[in-house]
Amino acid sequence: MAEIKDPENTLILETTKGQVVIQLLPQVAPEHVARIKELAREKAYDGVVFHRVIDGFMAQTGDVQFGKQGSETFNPGRAGMGGSSKPDLKAEFSATSHIRGTCSMARSQNPNSANSQFFICFADAPWLNKQYSVWGQVISGMDIVDQIKRGEPVKDPDSIVSARVAADV
């Protein structure tokens, strides 16, 4: 595991494939980082599937409404269409590039529609720069991310077993 220098701004994802450690970037997207930490602390991401995984591009997850296995609202056919009960976030676009391991918020056509869904880039994706809010960077476990089952939608998807702020572990 990577050395954790700032536990309050480090997210530990336990997935069905293994552990992924993400350095949060509050200096880049403070409101998005706050939302990720808030949802992690509420255990909202626990059991959420990776519903859209495109080889050579990214793995998307975070639909706590329709993508959370074991919840009353879990619906594999609708995973990716929901969010959380919290209000959408205003875009925090930055000069931080979408490179391998970048964690960024998913959104609709509306730039201010990010809520709970996010994606992890498998490879550099410069066309996303300054159009999506980057909030983190994988510092350990990209080999795990690379193993996540592909698909749109994914059949029998991998999931987040738990998401925790390192300071809380």
Side-chain angles (χ1 to χ4, degrees):
M1 188 165 93
E3 179 187 352
I4 295 174
K5 296 184 174 99
D6 182 0
E8 183 56 35
N9 286 301
T10 304
L11 186 70
I12 300 172
L13 289 184
E14 290 293 343
T15 74
T16 47
K17 295 294 190 202
Q19 188 178 82
V20 179
V21 181
I22 301 167
Q23 181 64 57
L24 302 175
L25 304 172
Q27 70 282 11
V28 173
E31 296 302 317
H32 289 73
V33 167
R35 172 67 55 84
I36 294 290
K37 292 186 340 186
E38 179 181 21
L39 290 169
R41 286 185 161 131
E42 292 173 358
K43 299 181 172 60
Y45 287 126
D46 295 10
V48 175
V49 300
F50 285 89
H51 64 270
R52 181 173 178 243
V53 185
I54 303 170
D55 198 37
F57 180 31
M58 57 91 214
Q60 187 170 330
T61 184
D63 182 347
V64 301
Q65 182 178 7
F66 299 123
K68 187 176 177 83
Q69 296 170 315
S71 74
E72 287 182 16
T73 57
F74 178 61
N75 183 337
R78 296 198 66 198
M81 298 178 191
S84 74
S85 59
K86 300 174 189 321
D88 289 346
L89 296 166
K90 187 175 184 321
E92 292 179 300
F93 301 157
S94 68
T96 303
S97 295
H98 286 78
I99 59 171
R100 178 170 165 77
T102 294
C103 302
S104 194
M105 292 303 272
R107 61 172 177 80
S108 70
Q109 294 291 82
N110 176 352
N112 300 314
S113 63
N115 186 291
S116 66
Q117 290 189 48
F118 65 90
F119 59 91
I120 303 171
C121 294
F122 288 125
D124 295 1
W127 62 92
L128 300 178
N129 293 349
K130 298 182 181 174
Q131 296 188 58
Y132 289 82
S133 299
V134 174
W135 57 265
Q137 181 68 38
V138 173
I139 57 172
S140 174
M142 268 312 290
D143 57 321
I144 301 300
V145 176
D146 288 337
Q147 296 173 43
I148 295 170
K149 195 179 299 171
R150 309 310 202 248
E152 274 189 280
V154 184
K155 288 182 177 40
D156 189 29
D158 286 307
S159 63
I160 297 170
V161 175
S162 66
R164 299 289 179 270
V165 176
D168 301 340
V169 178

